[in-house]
Amino acid sequence: MSGLPSSRRTALRRHFCLGALALMSALTSARSVTITEAEHEGRAQFKVVTASATYFFDRAGGGFSRLIDRDGKDWISFRKEPLKEVPASAAAGFRGIPNSVFGKDNPDAGAGHPGFDQCESTLVGGDTIRTVSTSGRWTWSWRFTETNAVFTMEKAPAEVAWWFLYEGTIAGRWSPRTHYWGTDTGGPRHETTDSKRQLFEQWRWAYFGDDQSPRVLLMAQMEKDDLPDTLWFMGSTRAGLDAPDGMVVFGFGRGPGGKPQFRGAGQRFALGLVEGAVKDAAAHGQVAQTAKQWIQQAAKPSAARGPLRVHPTNPRFFTDGSANPDGSLRAVYLAGSHEWHSFQDHGHRLESGGEPPPVFDYGAFLNLLQTNGHNFTRLWRWELPKWTEGDTKTRQTEHSQPHPWRRAGPGLANDGKPKFDLTQFDVGYFERLRSRVRLAGERGIYVAVMLFECWGVQHVTNAWQYHPLAGPNNVNGIEADEDGDGWGLEVHTLRDTGMGRRTLALQEAYVRHVLGTLNDLDNVLYEIGNEGGKYSAAWQNHMVEFIHRSEAAMVKRHLAGITFHFSKSREQRGNNRMLFDSPADWVSPGNEPAAAGVNFSFNRNPSPEFQGKIVVADTDHLGWNVRRDHDWFWKQFCRGNHTWYLEWAYASPTEAVAARKGIGQTVAWSRKVNLAAMQPSTDAASTAYCLANPGREYLAYQPGRGSFTVDLRNSSATFSVAWFAPETEASQPGEAVRGGSVQSFTPPHDGPAVLHLKAKE
């Protein structure tokens, strides 16, 4: 491998800065929600405390029973008795949010409503509650922030309609004539409508307040629709508005005749208390800005769901457990960039010579991933505290920090710092690990955490001199270089010796601590080690199995992968068959002919045949510093491979622009098609690059120019046609075509093209 050009190394150094304030701000936000167990009306609850409100969530009901403001006023005020008597329950059991599932003959009726026993609710991570109906047909989640709670309907039977309701007490009381409200169509308004004069309009957002309250309750629908919404006030007696108690009834998707309007999954809503009364148009405008901010925030990638697992019916892809509108498991496609310095601070290939080493701007890197639509990255581990950089012109001495173990001494290691105590973990290392994984997850980005780094131990001449598991550098009497050759490759092997067993026990303790640190996070995958030669294969296989065994006793289970067994030594270089025969859940192969034959290689022409594992094609192992554009990523996608791009020229303003765009394009299109039902095909399109659900849906990539064909002989359906130009990112529809023959298509633009065909219902 050759070093980076000097101009790029200089530019790369300029891109490193502390960014500590931004990181601390993000961590403070991440810790602003606490969820504990509680009780209300004799029923088990989750109590969610945020800076703006306290929520009580009925675990078996699957909805909110209380929403308490800073003054102790309850904006829901659910009471168990009477539960369902008209109109008396307007003062008790009718109250709640979201009260979604309704219907006299519906066996799931009451799901989403406090007081009913139709659901099971669990904590996901530290800020999300996920609810599944006892029938298994419904799933929704609430994610809490400092300012609001966001509802997502994740699974819903297509044949059953539902709504999103707020039924409760504005500012903690029933006083219709002092209540007011407003929507995206105007406000504040003081109309009081009852059951005989229900108001039906279409709203994107609405707020509710009271003349004696210094705040309002804001609710917003994230996705725009043309369905009717409703508002009216329901008294607890036939006196209606003059009843002694009652509630407001506001419903997104509640139509005339009390008919639910929403069908299927995917809809999202947000609600929260907003400080400040709304007395005039100016105050209304301020609430409108808040509503717009919530909706805009929702347009950004949502937090990564999971943990991911291998899709049971299409094992080329992952699934997060959520459902497609037809109820089938959604397939998840991962693709993104990674960079050597994304976790530890170190000088690899920087020619910095700095001590302490440059600090990477992780926030800026996440911005780059998110801006380009990436949903996957690799969090690098670097095992060497000090080394001489052999792949740069000046061969500077470089450094790295932090490391998993405390440098507590006594005595000094070869790098002049206190020796490592391999029985004491460094708190800062694991806090950084957790925060970086979590911050990525909040942006919808999955992270493969690299547990070990083997390339440096193999190929850096003086690597072992400073390694923590070399005898002079720890206080525990560990010297993993048992043959004394000065390289220490044994550290990544299984050895049935006293020292080998002690070394493995320390490595397992470290891995177990990583698992415990990250187990509650949904966006985690594990990579055993980067580019360990074939000598490390049995050890890496053992570590995969160790992760599987360890997490079997934990709350969540995450997937573990192995990347290519690279070595500069041909004798030590592994092959892809070793990966596919391993216990890994996913693999990242090297550039050799795939098992399907010599006409295919993972770099230039990946095989369409399924090799038995999820494949992540990583440019790090397939020509790490070769220039790429959108073409490489589209070809990998259409052959069913997930992708990583090594940002080897991260600081360059032009080097990776096309590659980054291509990654984001494939991620976006993976969400537009029913990926779970699609397989790579070299026959469906004459271009040989096509994902196909025969007779139903096709996504074909034309890497060249000009017309091409798609074989539609197995369907008589009419297909919608859509074109996409990867070079310009322009989209346009085409004229619908009939199946029953091989159809020819001519792109409406010059250059590479993507064609999407979908059978009309």
Side-chain angles (χ1 to χ4, degrees):
M1 298 182 183
S2 60
L4 296 179
S6 176
S7 61
R8 287 187 179 138
R9 290 193 299 271
T10 301
L12 184 55
R13 288 196 296 272
R14 288 199 296 267
H15 274 248
F16 283 74
C17 64
L18 287 173
L21 291 177
L23 180 58
M24 289 304 298
S25 174
L27 287 173
T28 300
S29 175
R31 295 169 180 163
S32 63
V33 175
T34 60
I35 304 179
T36 57
E37 295 183 353
E39 186 178 288
H40 176 60
E41 289 286 291
R43 296 177 60 82
Q45 312 276 316
F46 283 126
K47 181 181 180 181
V48 184
V49 179
T50 73
S52 58
T54 298
Y55 307 78
F56 279 70
F57 189 88
D58 188 313
R59 297 170 65 175
F64 293 115
S65 61
R66 307 186 75 190
L67 175 53
I68 303 172
D69 66 20
R70 295 175 180 176
D71 297 324
K73 306 296 185 182
D74 189 345
W75 292 64
I76 297 177
S77 307
F78 169 83
R79 291 193 288 269
K80 189 166 58 176
E81 298 295 342
L83 185 61
K84 44 184 179 179
E85 294 181 14
V86 179
S89 293
F94 284 170
R95 297 170 176 173
I97 301 173
N99 301 357
S100 291
V101 186
F102 178 80
K104 186 178 298 184
D105 298 320
N106 185 350
D108 294 316
H113 199 305
F116 289 78
D117 296 313
Q118 291 280 48
C119 302
E120 294 181 4
S121 302
T122 57
L123 291 181
V124 180
D127 58 4
T128 300
I129 296 172
R130 177 165 291 137
T131 297
V132 180
S133 68
T134 53
S135 68
R137 300 202 304 164
W138 302 81
T139 303
W140 57 82
S141 64
W142 286 93
R143 182 173 183 270
F144 300 90
T145 71
E146 285 184 287
T147 57
N148 61 23
V150 179
F151 170 97
T152 302
M153 181 60 79
E154 298 180 358
K155 179 181 179 181
E159 71 274 13
V160 181
W162 58 278
W163 53 35
F164 185 93
L165 297 187
Y166 165 48
E167 296 177 297
T169 50
I170 297 172
R173 67 181 189 147
W174 165 253
S175 180
R177 291 175 178 83
T178 64
H179 297 335
Y180 61 85
W181 53 281
T183 71
D184 53 312
T185 62
R189 300 167 64 174
H190 291 81
E191 297 101 308
T192 52
T193 60
D194 58 17
S195 60
K196 297 178 181 179
R197 298 178 294 114
Q198 298 181 28
L199 187 62
F200 294 99
E201 296 184 18
Q202 291 178 4
W203 300 305
R204 190 72 184 273
W205 52 264
Y207 62 81
F208 304 92
D210 184 85
D211 290 345
Q212 297 183 16
S213 176
R215 60 187 61 84
V216 296
L217 173 62
L218 176 62
M219 305 174 67
Q221 183 174 356
M222 302 296 101
E223 287 77 29
K224 189 176 182 180
D225 63 34
D226 56 1
L227 300 174
D229 309 312
T230 190
L231 171 66
W232 56 289
F233 293 84
M234 181 179 183
S236 61
T237 71
R238 298 195 181 281
L241 297 177
D242 296 317
D245 206 346
M247 65 183 188
V248 63
V249 179
F250 173 78
F252 285 116
R254 187 182 189 275
K259 294 183 178 180
Q261 302 293 307
F262 297 127
R263 290 186 182 272
Q267 291 86 350
R268 296 174 296 164
F269 305 89
L271 65 86
L273 295 172
V274 177
E275 295 301 309
V278 180
K279 303 293 187 181
D280 51 30
H284 173 90
Q286 292 177 351
V287 177
Q289 287 300 315
T290 300
K292 291 177 182 178
Q293 290 172 3
W294 289 6
I295 293 170
Q296 290 171 354
Q297 185 67 31
K300 299 177 181 179
S302 58
R305 300 172 180 173
L308 295 178
R309 60 183 189 270
V310 178
H311 198 288
T313 61
N314 196 343
R316 295 176 181 275
F317 302 114
F318 302 95
T319 182
D320 59 10
S322 64
N324 292 314
D326 63 1
S328 63
L329 276 179
R330 186 172 78 95
V332 174
Y333 178 76
L334 299 184
S337 292
H338 61 97
E339 211 279 347
W340 291 306
H341 311 87
S342 58
F343 177 47
Q344 290 158 287
D345 305 325
H346 60 86
H348 180 49
R349 300 188 188 277
L350 290 183
E351 230 169 16
S352 67
E355 173 66 322
V359 178
F360 186 69
D361 190 340
Y362 185 65
F365 181 62
L366 290 182
N367 288 341
L368 180 142
L369 297 180
Q370 187 172 355
T371 299
N372 285 280
H374 299 190
N375 68 347
F376 196 24
T377 193
R378 190 182 186 203
L379 210 57
W380 277 77
R381 165 90 190 278
W382 191 250
E383 294 193 10
L384 315 180
K386 182 178 178 180
W387 72 99
T388 300
E389 185 70 26
D391 287 317
T392 58
K393 290 181 179 179
T394 60
R395 298 176 180 260
Q396 294 274 5
T397 296
E398 302 290 356
H399 305 80
S400 70
Q401 64 180 28
H403 293 276
W405 305 281
R406 286 189 61 204
R407 307 200 68 160
L412 299 180
N414 282 339
D415 65 355
K417 296 180 181 180
K419 292 185 177 184
F420 291 94
D421 185 340
L422 303 177
T423 65
Q424 297 186 45
F425 293 115
D426 183 87
V427 174
Y429 179 95
F430 291 94
E431 286 184 345
R432 177 185 287 202
L433 177 64
R434 179 175 174 82
S435 70
R436 295 205 173 181
V437 173
R438 178 168 183 139
L439 289 170
E442 290 175 350
R443 301 184 186 221
I445 299 168
Y446 293 89
V447 176
V449 174
M450 186 188 297
L451 296 168
F452 300 92
E453 206 292 311
C454 309
W455 184 91
V457 176
Q458 275 200 88
H459 300 124
V460 175
T461 303
N462 60 350
W464 194 250
Q465 180 180 351
Y466 303 105
H467 197 283
L469 273 69
N473 302 321
N474 64 77
V475 300
N476 311 97
I478 295 296
E479 175 54 81
D481 181 20
E482 291 196 78
D483 66 5
D485 67 355
W487 284 94
L489 296 188
E490 299 96 318
V491 74
H492 298 138
T493 64
L494 293 177
R495 291 162 289 135
D496 191 17
T497 65
M499 183 59 67
R501 289 188 290 272
R502 289 181 64 194
T503 300
L504 182 64
L506 289 168
Q507 292 170 326
E508 289 177 344
Y510 150 70
V511 171
R512 191 181 298 110
H513 200 65
V514 172
L515 301 181
T517 300
L518 303 177
N519 185 255
D520 67 309
L521 301 182
D522 289 338
N523 64 315
V524 182
L525 297 86
Y526 292 107
E527 174 188 353
I528 303 303
N530 174 60
E531 293 192 347
K534 67 181 181 182
Y535 62 86
S536 72
W539 173 80
Q540 294 205 49
N541 292 347
H542 170 86
M543 284 298 177
V544 169
E545 293 170 338
F546 178 77
I547 291 172
H548 290 165
R549 290 195 306 272
S550 298
E551 285 203 314
M554 299 181 182
V555 175
K556 297 183 179 181
R557 295 159 182 78
H558 301 86
L559 301 179
I562 297 178
T563 55
F564 185 56
H565 293 300
F566 174 79
S567 178
K568 292 181 180 179
S569 164
R570 291 192 175 275
E571 292 75 18
Q572 292 292 358
R573 189 178 305 165
N575 57 63
N576 290 332
R577 190 70 260 157
M578 298 171 70
L579 300 179
F580 293 118
D581 289 342
S582 77
D585 302 302
W586 59 273
V587 299
S588 188
N591 189 28
E592 62 176 32
V598 296
N599 292 328
F600 297 105
S601 72
F602 280 106
N603 185 31
R604 297 186 180 277
N605 186 23
S607 170
E609 300 299 323
F610 179 55
Q611 306 292 318
K613 305 278 187 190
I614 288 176
V615 170
V616 179
D618 185 357
T619 61
D620 185 29
H621 318 304
L622 299 171
W624 68 277
N625 60 350
V626 175
R627 178 167 292 179
R628 318 275 176 164
D629 60 15
H630 62 268
D631 179 74
W632 192 85
F633 300 96
W634 272 101
K635 287 179 176 178
Q636 294 287 346
F637 177 44
C638 288
R639 295 289 168 84
N641 296 336
H642 308 255
T643 58
W644 264 331
Y645 174 71
L646 173 60
E647 294 273 355
W648 62 277
Y650 176 54
S652 169
T654 59
E655 179 63 45
V657 171
R660 293 168 185 161
K661 285 186 176 181
I663 293 169
Q665 292 166 6
T666 59
V667 171
W669 274 97
S670 76
R671 295 167 176 163
K672 295 178 182 179
V673 300
N674 184 7
L675 190 63
M678 304 182 87
Q679 295 287 344
S681 172
T682 56
D683 301 322
S686 61
T687 65
Y689 290 96
C690 184
L691 287 170
N693 178 7
R696 302 299 304 162
E697 189 172 21
Y698 302 84
L699 188 68
Y701 174 60
Q702 161 67 298
R705 288 170 165 77
S707 300
F708 59 94
T709 61
V710 178
D711 188 347
L712 301 179
R713 287 177 293 182
N714 59 358
S715 175
S716 60
T718 298
F719 289 82
S720 63
V721 176
W723 291 98
F724 176 75
E727 290 183 342
T728 64
E729 300 195 312
S731 300
Q732 69 181 83
E735 293 186 8
V737 298
R738 291 280 297 180
S741 64
V742 176
Q743 290 279 359
S744 180
F745 297 89
T746 301
H749 57 267
D750 190 28
V754 175
L755 171 67
H756 181 219
L757 304 176
K758 187 172 184 179
K760 296 184 178 182
E761 298 296 336

